Amino acid sequence: MATALAKAAEGSASVEHAARIEHVSKSFAGPAGQQLVLDDITLDVAPGEFVTLLGASGCGKSTLLNLVAGLDRPSTGSITTDGRPALMFQEHALFPWLTAGKNIELALKLRGVAKNERRGRAEELLELVRLKGSYGKRVHELSGGMRQRVALARALAQDSRLLLMDEPFAALDAITRDVLHDELTRIWAETGVSVLFVTHNVREAVRLAQRVVLLSSRPGRVEREWTVDIPQPRRIEDAPVAELSREITEVLRGEIRRHGQH
Ligand SMILES: Nc1ncnc2c1ncn2[C@@H]1O[C@H](COP(=O)(O)OP(=O)(O)OP(=O)(O)O)[C@@H](O)[C@H]1O
Ligand SMILES: [Mg+2]
């Protein structure tokens, strides 16, 4: 469909990177002094690329995503993005007193979309996430999967060239998650948006991405990366997905053993 999203994708063709992370380190002040959480991370996301960031719990994935989002600053190094990224988290963070449609319209309003255009755009975005007809539904009337669809539509309403997703499907049941994987893959292909997607689920990382980047723990470093050239649409149970997942899991296990995590 011809939304402003397609326009965003066209516009990014001349830009070299959707995100460029260069020698980024991040420390937090802790009881035992400064704790180094991320150590010298260098990573690019190309325009239109889908990258998953994989790592054990606590390795610094959310910290890195927050830095890319501009919610916090690196201790050293630099991050540049092609415009302001849109964000989507595990918790939908929709406003419960607004309907699905109005939640999306609020994002459009903040972006400066004219009042008389907002309703139509919100309906288009709801259709894109296959929630046509849910404009007037309140958040409590929606299932967990539907709420995440609205949250995705709201993130897309920002018309960003880069979508940052932090375990957005982690709280959903396996079947709903599977459906949303399909939807996200379709929307990514349709809109040309770049995606940096955080997960600790290896299969999910392989199911979705063109490139899987594995972070080590304590401190988080880029341990290894894999290009995933399995054709889309993939299924999480496909043999090549399972095979690569097994290989990555082995590396992740070894990494976790080395750092004494469970
Ligand atoms: N604002 C903060 N102040 C102090 N320490 C922090 C802060 N944010 C994160 N940390 C620490 O940084 C480390 C990495 O946390 P982060 O949330 O990035 O991990 P994660 O990889 O996203 O984990 P999970 O998979 O469980 O979500 C943790 O040890 C955490 O306690
Ligand atoms: Mg996290």
Side-chain angles (χ1 to χ4, degrees):
M1 64 199 243
T3 63
L5 294 162
K7 220 169 56 220
E10 277 166 33
S12 63
S14 57
V15 181
E16 243 181 291
H17 304 100
R20 167 156 264 194
I21 302 165
E22 287 178 293
H23 301 294
V24 163
S25 297
K26 179 71 181 173
S27 304
F28 291 112
Q34 290 287 312
Q35 183 202 357
L36 182 64
V37 170
L38 295 173
D39 185 19
D40 197 22
I41 306 272
T42 293
L43 175 68
D44 284 347
V45 180
E49 193 180 20
F50 198 129
V51 176
T52 48
L53 205 54
L54 181 68
S57 184
C59 77
K61 302 181 295 295
S62 296
T63 301
L64 184 57
L65 213 69
N66 289 344
L67 294 176
V68 179
L71 298 175
D72 199 357
R73 290 164 153 241
S75 304
T76 57
S78 72
I79 297 181
T80 49
T81 56
D82 181 13
R84 191 204 272 181
L87 277 169
M88 186 176 162
F89 300 105
Q90 183 172 339
E91 295 299 324
H92 58 77
L94 298 170
F95 294 117
W97 59 89
L98 296 177
T99 62
K102 290 289 179 195
N103 264 286
I104 298 168
E105 281 187 30
L106 183 60
L108 294 169
K109 182 180 176 184
L110 292 173
R111 211 185 91 212
V113 173
K115 194 163 194 251
N116 60 356
E117 287 177 28
R118 283 180 217 150
R119 170 87 194 223
R121 287 278 187 88
E123 303 265 19
E124 270 185 5
L125 286 159
L126 282 169
E127 201 176 330
L128 185 68
V129 298
R130 298 208 208 270
L131 276 184
K132 198 171 177 218
S134 296
Y135 181 93
K137 292 243 167 72
R138 293 204 176 261
V139 173
H140 73 266
E141 296 178 280
L142 303 170
S143 69
M146 290 162 91
R147 288 175 197 179
Q148 288 308 76
R149 285 171 193 263
V150 178
L152 178 57
R154 188 182 56 177
L156 294 168
Q158 294 171 43
D159 209 14
S160 300
R161 295 188 182 100
L162 176 62
L163 182 55
L164 303 174
M165 308 183 87
D166 194 350
E167 312 214 32
F169 308 138
L172 303 176
D173 65 88
I175 301 292
T176 307
R177 187 160 56 228
D178 208 39
V179 172
L180 281 164
H181 286 160
D182 290 347
E183 301 291 12
L184 178 60
T185 305
R186 176 182 57 81
I187 288 166
W188 164 67
E190 268 180 38
T191 61
V193 70
S194 316
V195 182
L196 185 56
F197 186 109
V198 158
T199 182
H200 56 250
N201 182 327
V202 182
R203 287 265 191 140
E204 178 172 63
V206 174
R207 158 69 187 85
L208 291 170
Q210 293 176 300
R211 193 150 58 94
V212 176
V213 176
L214 179 66
L215 287 190
S216 65
S217 303
R218 301 179 186 177
R221 294 194 180 110
V222 175
E223 172 90 10
R224 239 172 100 175
E225 62 173 68
W226 288 262
T227 300
V228 188
D229 48 19
I230 305 163
Q232 293 278 15
R234 302 168 193 155
R235 300 236 66 100
I236 211 145
E237 66 276 7
D238 285 347
V241 172
E243 204 174 302
L244 181 56
S245 300
R246 224 175 354 253
E247 180 188 329
I248 296 175
T249 302
E250 275 309 303
V251 179
L252 182 58
R253 279 215 188 99
E255 207 284 319
I256 289 172
R257 267 197 302 273
R258 263 202 312 284
H259 292 275
Q261 284 197 342
H262 303 287

